[in-house]
Amino acid sequence: MRLFTAAAPLLFCWFIGSAAATELADRFPAAEWERASPATAGWSAEQLKAAQEWSGKIGSSAVIVVHRGAIIGEWGDTSAKTPLASVRKSLLSALIGIAVERKQIDLKKTLAELGIDDNEPSLTAEEKTATVRDLLMARSGVYHAALYETPGMAARRPPRFSHKPGTFWYYNNWDFNTLGAIYEHATRHSIFDAFDSEIARPIGMQDYRPSDGQYVTGAGSVYPAYPFDMTARDLARFALLYLHKGKWQDRQIVPAAWVEESTKAYSQSSFGPGYGYMWWTGFSGNAIAPAVKVPEGTFFAWGAGGQFAFVMPAYDLVVIHRAPRQSDIDLRPIGRLLWLVLDAGHFRDIGPDASIAAAPGNRFAGDALKGLLSGKILRFGDGAEGGPIRIQLNSDSSAAASRGADPAQFDSGTWRVEDDRLCRDWQKTVPLHACWTAVVDGQQVGLFDRDGLMVIAAYIEDH
C-alpha cells in the first residue's frame, strides 16, 4: 500500500498548487467578512463540499476557511458563541506579548520575584525559580493541582518535584492559569476587558463582549482559569491577525516579533505538534498512518472538544473549526478535514489521501483475512517515539503488543476477524475493544475506522 508511511505508540488507535500564496494579500474584513466564490479564487467547490460532508460526519458545529483575507468556505453556525476551551491560552499569549513590549511584564522574572505561591502544599524555593518564560512554554516544573483541567491532563501530571524548572515539557494548566494572574497584576486590567480593548475592538470582532469571559475558581489552586466564549467568525479574525504577524491593516496590534517568537516550537509533543508560547506548531506526525502534511510555519490554537484555529502563512490561509464542547474530536479527524480543505485549494504536497476509497489493495473477509494474518506480526510506527510497535497475532487467537527496537511487551489480549474487519481486545490500551476494516496490499495492511479513515498503516511480517 504505497501511501503508507511508517507516530506515537497507539495499538490499533490514533493516539493521534495554484492557490498557494507567494505573499499575503492586503485584505481584511470590515464590519462583515468579504466572501469569494471558490471558482473565482481557484478552489474546487466540489472538494469543499467533501470537506463539509466530512465535518458533518465528525460532528463539527462550524467551519470557516479564509484564503487571502476572504471567506472561501463557511458552514454551520459561525455566529454562535461557544466555549473556546484551551484556545483561551493563545488569546492570553497575545495580551502578554503586548504587555512585554510595554515593559509591564519581564519574561526573565521568577515566581519568587513576582511573589507567586499557591495553597498547601505551597511552592518550594526551587519551584519558585521558574520564570515567566518557563510558564509560557509549559516548562515550569511546578506540578501543583490546577483548575479547569481535563481528566487526561490531571492523569498525566508528573509527580511533584520530579523535574526542575525549564527542563521538562508538560501541558500544564497551573502554568497557564498563573500566567493569567501575572498578567492581570502587571496591567491592572482583567483579561476579558483587556482583550476587548487591546484586540477585539481594534480588529472589529462582531460578537465578542467582556461578559463572554468568566473565571473558574476552586479549592485546588488560588489561580483561577479564564475561559472565553467566542464565535467562529470572531476567532477567524484573531487568526487572521496572527497570519499578518499581529498587524491589522495599518495598525500593529500585537508586536510582530512576539508573534514570531511565540509561534516557534520550544518543545515537541510525543504525538506530533510542537509547542511555543501557548500556541501549537506544525501538526500531528504521520508515523502511525498518513494524516495531512502542512507547510512549514503552520501554527494553531487548540481547545478540548474540537476547537481549532489553524494559521498557515505559507498559503495565506486560516481554517477555523468549532464543535460542541462535549465532543471528542481530536487531531486525526481534523487532519482529514485539513487534507480535504487543502485539496480543494489545489495546494501541493499535502500528503496521500488516507481514505478507504483511495486505498489500493484488497478487502478480504472471514477465513481469507484470518488466514492472511494468523501467526503474523503487524509492525507500524517505526518513526514514532518508542517505536516501532509490533502486534503479534497468534494462531490460538491470543495477541501481544510490544514496542521498541529491542521489543518489550506492554499489553496482551485476543484478536479475531469479523467479516472484513480485524478486531482486538486489550487488557490495558484504550480503547480496550475495537474493530477496523482491513485493506491488504501485498505485505502491507491499512486499518480503517467506521468513517473510512486510516488509523494504522502496518507491515505484515512473519514471527
Side-chain angles (χ1 to χ4, degrees), residues 158-178:
R160 192 82 182 268
F161 321 122
S162 58
H163 300 283
K164 293 182 178 181
T167 65
F168 184 79
W169 180 80
Y170 158 68
Y171 188 73
N172 191 355
N173 261 20
W174 191 90
D175 292 3
F176 310 135
N177 294 343
T178 303

Side-chain angles (χ1 to χ4, degrees), residues 83 93 182 207 220 308 347 359 418 422:
S93 179
I182 291 171
D207 309 300
F308 290 94
F347 296 101
E418 294 182 0
L422 171 62

Side-chain angles (χ1 to χ4, degrees), residues 48-394:
L48 275 178
K49 179 70 172 177
Q52 182 175 355
E53 291 172 352
W54 175 257
S55 69
K57 184 178 291 188
I58 65 176
S60 311
S61 60
V63 174
I64 297 178
V65 179
V66 179
H67 185 227
R68 299 185 67 78
I71 290 179
I72 299 296
E74 179 182 21
W75 52 88
D77 191 348
T78 60
S79 62
K81 291 183 180 181
T82 56
L84 286 178
S86 287
V87 173
R88 68 188 176 103
K89 298 158 190 174
S90 301
L91 307 187
L92 178 61
S93 179
L95 291 175
I96 290 175
I98 296 170
V100 167
E101 184 182 53
R102 293 173 181 166
K103 302 189 184 306
Q104 295 171 304
I105 293 177
D106 182 351
L107 300 189
K108 296 179 182 178
K109 287 287 186 181
T110 66
L111 300 182
E113 290 173 312
L114 295 171
I116 296 295
D117 206 344
D118 210 330
N119 55 23
E120 295 292 338
S122 56
L123 305 192
T124 66
E126 182 174 79
E127 287 176 320
K128 290 181 181 180
T129 64
T131 65
V132 175
R133 188 171 185 269
D134 288 333
L135 270 64
L136 282 164
M137 297 187 296
R139 284 179 163 269
S140 73
V142 179
Y143 306 128
H144 191 284
L147 304 178
Y148 204 60
E149 289 182 312
T150 64
M153 291 169 67
R156 289 188 294 271
R157 184 189 300 123
R160 192 82 182 268
F161 321 122
S162 58
H163 300 283
K164 293 182 178 181
T167 65
F168 184 79
W169 180 80
Y170 158 68
Y171 188 73
N172 191 355
N173 261 20
W174 191 90
D175 292 3
F176 310 135
N177 294 343
T178 303
L179 283 168
I182 291 171
Y183 174 82
E184 293 193 337
H185 184 267
T187 65
R188 303 299 179 185
H189 291 288
S190 80
I191 292 170
F192 310 118
D193 288 336
F195 187 80
D196 183 52
S197 60
E198 300 282 8
I199 295 176
R201 280 188 280 164
I203 68 174
M205 284 191 174
Q206 295 167 260
D207 309 300
Y208 177 76
R209 302 293 182 270
S211 57
D212 296 331
Q214 61 180 338
Y215 296 100
V216 174
T217 59
S221 172
V222 300
Y223 299 111
Y226 41 91
F228 283 71
D229 288 351
M230 187 172 288
T231 63
R233 64 187 184 183
D234 276 355
L235 183 58
R237 286 181 186 249
F238 179 70
L240 187 66
L241 172 69
Y242 260 69
L243 179 74
H244 286 270
K245 296 187 177 180
K247 191 174 184 179
W248 195 264
Q249 297 176 335
D250 296 327
R251 179 177 174 183
Q252 194 72 44
I253 307 294
V254 180
W258 180 262
V259 173
E260 183 175 355
E261 182 179 348
S262 61
T263 58
K264 290 179 180 177
Y266 301 101
S267 304
Q268 196 68 35
S269 70
S270 63
F271 49 92
Y275 202 71
Y277 294 170
M278 298 195 285
W279 284 92
W280 298 90
T281 67
F283 195 66
S284 182
N286 293 315
I288 296 292
V292 62
K293 185 176 180 181
V294 298
E296 185 176 353
T298 295
F299 56 94
F300 62 102
W302 178 12
Q307 322 311 320
F308 290 94
F310 288 94
V311 182
M312 301 184 189
Y315 293 163
D316 200 348
L317 185 68
V318 162
V319 180
I320 304 299
H321 179 273
R322 306 301 304 277
R325 183 70 169 84
Q326 67 274 18
S327 73
D328 59 356
I329 300 172
D330 60 15
L331 289 178
R332 186 174 59 85
I334 291 298
R336 177 61 179 170
L337 177 65
L338 289 179
W339 191 92
L340 291 166
V341 167
L342 295 178
D343 189 45
H346 306 298
F347 296 101
R348 299 174 182 174
D349 196 20
I350 63 175
D353 186 343
S355 70
I356 195 168
N362 299 292
R363 292 168 68 168
F364 297 93
D367 290 341
L369 180 59
K370 186 175 181 179
L372 282 170
L373 300 179
S374 183
K376 301 294 186 179
I377 291 174
L378 302 187
R379 192 195 86 234
F380 58 95
D382 287 30
E385 181 179 5
I389 310 301
R390 292 178 175 87
I391 308 302
Q392 185 171 313
L393 304 175
N394 299 317

